[in-house]
C-alpha cells in the first residue's frame, strides 16, 4: 500500500490537523507495516497557477522555457504522487471558513484535463479512481457540514471530480469552545479506522 500524507497547516507542532493526519497514517501503517509513505508539507509552498503555468501545462507549448519546464516538472511530480497512492491522508485545517490557499493550489496543480479527469458526452469523469482518502478536518469554530463550512464539501467534490469517491472525514471541530470534546469526537472517528 502506498500512502500520500499531505499536511497544509501553518501552525507547526501546534496543529491539530497535523496530529490527526499523523495518527491516521500511524493506524494505517500499523495495519500494513509494509506500507510506503510519501509525506508532502504543502505549507512549504506550492506554485500558483499563472499565465506561465497555463502556457506550459494547458496550452502545451512545444518548447518550454526553463521556468515553464520547472512548472511542468512540479505539476507532474504532484500528480504522480497522487497517481501512485492507494490512500491519501489530507490535513484540512480551516482558515476563514475554508481550506488553506496552499491546499487549494495543490488541487489546482493536480486537476489537469486529460490526465486526472476528462470530459465525456456524459459529463466529467475522474481518472484517479480506486483510491481512498482520509481527511483530518480541524476547526476552532467552524462546525463541519454547517453553513459556515466552505471547505469539507468543496474538498469532497474536488476529490470526487478527480475520481476519488471513497472519502472519510475525521473531524475535530469546535476546538475553541470545547477542545476536549472536539478531540474526543476525532478519537472516535480514528478508532473506526483501526476497526
Amino acid at each position: 500500500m502506498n500512502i500520500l500524507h499531505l499536511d497544509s497547516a501553518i501552525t507547526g507542532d501546534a496543529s491539530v490537523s497535523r496530529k490527526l493526519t499523523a495518527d491516521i497514517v500511524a493506524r494505517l501503517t500499523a495495519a500494513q507495516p509494509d506500507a510506503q509513505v510519501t509525506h508532502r508539507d504543502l505549507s512549504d509552498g506550492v506554485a500558483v497557477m499563472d499565465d506561465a503555468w497555463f502556457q506550459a501545462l494547458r496550452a502545451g507549448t512545444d518548447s518550454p522555457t526553463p521556468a515553464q519546464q520547472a512548472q511542468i516538472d512540479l505539476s507532474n511530480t504532484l500528480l504522480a504522487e497522487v497517481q501512485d497512492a492507494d490512500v491519501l491522508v489530507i490535513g484540512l485545517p480551516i482558515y476563514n471558513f475554508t481550506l488553506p490557499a496552499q491546499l487549494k493550489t495543490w488541487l489546482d496543480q493536480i486537476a489537469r484535463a486529460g490526465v486526472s479527469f476528462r470530459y465525456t458526452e456524459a459529463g466529467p469523469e475522474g481518472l484517479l479512481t480506486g483510491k481512498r482518502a482520509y481527511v483530518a478536518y480541524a476547526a476552532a469554530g467552524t462546525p463541519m457540514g454547517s453553513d459556515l463550512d466552505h471547505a469539507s464539501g468543496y474538498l469532497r467534490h474536488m476529490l470526487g471530480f478527480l475520481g476519488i469517491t471513497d472519502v472519510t472525514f475525521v473531524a475535530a471541530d469546535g476546538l475553541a469552545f470545547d477542545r476536549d470534546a472536539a478531540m474526543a469526537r476525532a478519537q472516535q472517528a480514528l478508532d473506526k479506522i483501526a476497526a
Side-chain angles (χ1 to χ4, degrees), residues 25 35 40 42 62 81 86 101-102 104 110 114 116 188 192:
V25 169
R40 182 169 289 274
L42 300 175
D62 292 330
E81 289 174 350
D86 302 299
Q102 54 271 22
K104 168 66 166 73
I110 67 166
S116 56
Q188 289 174 346
K192 293 177 184 174

Side-chain angles (χ1 to χ4, degrees), residues 158-182:
M158 281 302 299
L159 291 172
F161 178 77
L162 299 174
I164 304 168
T165 57
D166 184 355
V167 181
T168 300
F169 281 84
V170 174
D173 52 2
L175 289 161
F177 306 112
D178 190 340
R179 185 180 181 87
D180 291 341

